[in-house]
Amino acid sequence: MRSKNVESPFALPHPLPLEAKTPAGPGISARSFGPKGVDPRHWAFATVLGSCIVHLTNKRLLRSLGLFDGPAEVLNACWTKMQEKEAARSPEMAAWLTFDPISVPEFNFYLRNYHACDSHCLALVPLCQWTKPIADWDDHVYAVTLTLSIEFTHPKAKLRQQSLDYAAKYVASQPELVMKSAAAYRAYKTEVEVENRRRAKRALLPLAMVDRRFVERMASWFPKLVERAASSAAASASKAA
């Protein structure tokens, strides 16, 4: 991301309240100033980038792997057009929309993250956002950062991310049709309680309970995260055998 007086986070080493995806298209229903904790400028950047992805997809300008390999001029023109469109659509966001055109490698970097996170617009937020010592994010943020193997700096945020990771492993172990039953959520709560007793013996902080609605919908909102959790659980079981 390159904007006036703002350093590009693309050069940073990759470390590592939001609505669900809507049927209207890829990504999420954006509010003017974005999800809880996300800087307005970073959300504006993600919004423009998401609009570019939709536009280039509709124009069939992304190759089979979903990346862009066309001329930089085409991407620049798209970037300028989408930035103007977003400013007209959301005048209250116009002050943040002062970004220089994105480069092709940077665009493809974010596009890979976007595909990895099941087309969630939070994957388009500049990486420097996640290095900020914020204690509390939305569960969608934890899902996206887990998928991208991004670690938070704040202990409370780390613990919440671990809690969502545990929930993802539980969801991965259950048939999707069972997940919306009250019994399935009670079983999840029981597993968290058992795990927290283990953590207490090791002097670790207890995991938090993830909201039932999010647990029930995790497999459809973030299928790649659930697949990742299943692979991680299988690898751990193999080592223990």
Side-chain angles (χ1 to χ4, degrees), residues 46-237:
T47 300
V48 174
L49 188 48
S51 294
C52 285
I53 292 171
V54 172
H55 178 79
L56 293 173
T57 299
N58 291 339
K59 293 292 184 180
R60 301 182 184 277
L61 293 174
L62 300 182
R63 63 177 187 252
S64 58
L65 294 178
L67 302 178
F68 179 77
D69 61 356
E73 292 77 13
V74 171
L75 180 58
N76 291 351
C78 176
W79 182 264
T80 300
K81 179 180 179 180
M82 293 302 108
Q83 191 160 230
E84 292 172 352
K85 180 180 178 181
E86 290 299 332
R89 187 177 68 87
S90 303
E92 66 275 25
M93 193 188 285
W96 304 106
L97 297 170
T98 57
F99 304 108
D100 292 333
I102 193 169
S103 70
V104 172
E106 188 172 1
F107 177 79
N108 283 333
F109 171 81
Y110 284 108
L111 191 50
R112 289 187 186 94
N113 286 351
Y114 183 73
H115 291 322
C117 295
D118 301 294
S119 302
H120 202 297
C121 277
L122 275 172
L124 303 177
V125 171
L127 295 181
C128 61
Q129 174 66 65
W130 312 129
T131 65
K132 296 187 176 182
I134 297 173
D136 189 26
W137 302 89
D138 184 88
D139 282 336
H140 289 256
V141 170
Y142 296 121
V144 166
T145 52
L146 265 174
T147 304
L148 298 177
S149 299
I150 295 170
E151 290 188 19
F152 288 108
T153 58
H154 197 286
K156 184 178 177 182
K158 284 184 179 181
L159 182 62
R160 187 70 188 187
Q161 195 180 52
Q162 291 169 13
S163 301
L164 188 65
D165 186 40
Y166 192 85
K169 289 174 181 174
Y170 172 77
V171 171
S173 70
Q174 302 296 313
E176 188 172 348
L177 292 176
V178 174
M179 280 313 304
K180 292 189 178 181
S181 71
Y185 192 70
R186 285 197 299 270
Y188 158 68
K189 291 177 67 174
T190 299
E191 290 204 15
V192 172
E193 290 167 0
V194 171
E195 175 61 21
N196 282 340
R197 286 196 288 271
R198 293 194 196 104
R199 292 175 69 90
K201 291 177 181 178
R202 292 179 288 163
L204 297 174
L205 292 173
L207 298 176
M209 291 293 302
V210 176
D211 178 74
R212 175 176 173 175
R213 181 172 178 267
F214 197 91
V215 171
E216 289 178 345
R217 289 161 175 77
M218 195 183 300
S220 57
W221 284 351
F222 296 99
K224 290 188 175 66
L225 174 62
V226 175
E227 290 170 14
R228 174 185 180 275
S231 298
S232 174
S236 297

